[in-house]
């Protein structure tokens, strides 16, 4: 069972994952960064392969998730107020890109920003 991994999160660039990696390791949780070397050698393919995956052993999943939730950055609006989920009213949303069409896969910077609630997984567009 210890050889099974749980992906805690995915990050566009290897530098984005270093703080959470350091925090988890300081708490005694082994961390593995899948695709980090590939993206370090060619950062332009990060979106194509899904970014750097932060993985922990499945046995450490719950504790790692607690630590990650304590220090992660949640989405805010232009006035630095947290994005509120219209479904469950939680203030724990993250920026979300679906990249469903081939156009957005090739040119991800054109895709309109959306938010995904980490509590209920509801996806919403920002209010204009």
């Amino acid at each position: 069972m210890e050889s099974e991994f749980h992906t805690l999160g995915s990050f566009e660039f290897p530098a984005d994952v270093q703080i959470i990696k350091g925090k988890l390791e300081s708490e005694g949780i082994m961390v593995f960064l899948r695709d980090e070397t590939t993206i370090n050698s060619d950062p332009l393919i990060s979106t194509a392969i899904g970014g750097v995956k932060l993985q922990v052993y499945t046995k450490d999943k719950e504790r790692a998730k607690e630590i990650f939730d304590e220090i992660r950055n949640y989405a805010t609006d232009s006035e630095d107020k947290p994005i509120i989920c219209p479904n469950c009213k939680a203030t724990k949303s993250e920026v979300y890109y679906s990249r469903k069409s081939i156009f957005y896969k090739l040119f991800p910077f054109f895709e309109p920003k959306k938010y995904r609630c980490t509590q209920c997984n509801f996806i919403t567009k920002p209010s204009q």
Side-chain angles (χ1 to χ4, degrees):
M1 173 115 171
E2 188 171 291
S3 63
E4 293 182 25
F5 298 102
H6 172 73
T7 301
L8 201 57
S10 183
F11 301 83
E12 188 171 2
F13 300 109
D16 297 341
V17 74
Q18 293 304 317
I19 292 175
I20 185 64
K21 178 182 183 267
K23 176 65 173 170
L24 290 170
E25 288 176 340
S26 74
E27 296 285 335
I29 297 173
M30 288 193 67
V31 176
F32 305 90
L33 300 179
R34 194 166 132 218
D35 297 326
E36 177 189 26
T37 307
T38 305
I39 294 170
N40 273 332
S41 65
D42 188 359
L44 297 176
I45 65 167
S46 181
T47 33
I49 63 173
V52 178
K53 287 82 166 178
L54 174 71
Q55 296 183 322
V56 296
Y57 285 127
T58 304
K59 68 179 181 74
D60 296 327
K61 171 181 151 182
E62 293 305 317
R63 179 71 182 124
K65 187 173 176 350
E66 287 174 18
I67 294 167
F68 184 43
D69 286 343
E70 287 174 12
I71 64 172
R72 76 195 312 174
N73 289 328
Y74 293 105
T76 56
D77 62 14
S78 60
E79 297 173 359
D80 248 4
K81 295 179 184 171
I83 301 293
I84 299 171
C85 174
N87 187 45
C88 71
K89 307 300 182 221
T91 58
K92 296 183 176 186
S93 293
E94 296 178 320
V95 176
Y96 171 81
Y97 296 101
S98 59
R99 295 187 172 100
K100 289 184 179 177
S101 75
I102 188 71
F103 180 76
Y104 291 139
K105 287 179 183 176
L106 293 172
F107 306 103
F109 40 85
F110 285 122
E111 184 174 3
K113 187 185 291 187
K114 294 182 278 289
Y115 299 100
R116 182 184 62 83
C117 176
T118 60
Q119 300 294 105
C120 69
N121 288 323
F122 188 78
I123 296 171
T124 184
K125 292 181 182 175
S127 56
Q128 302 298 335

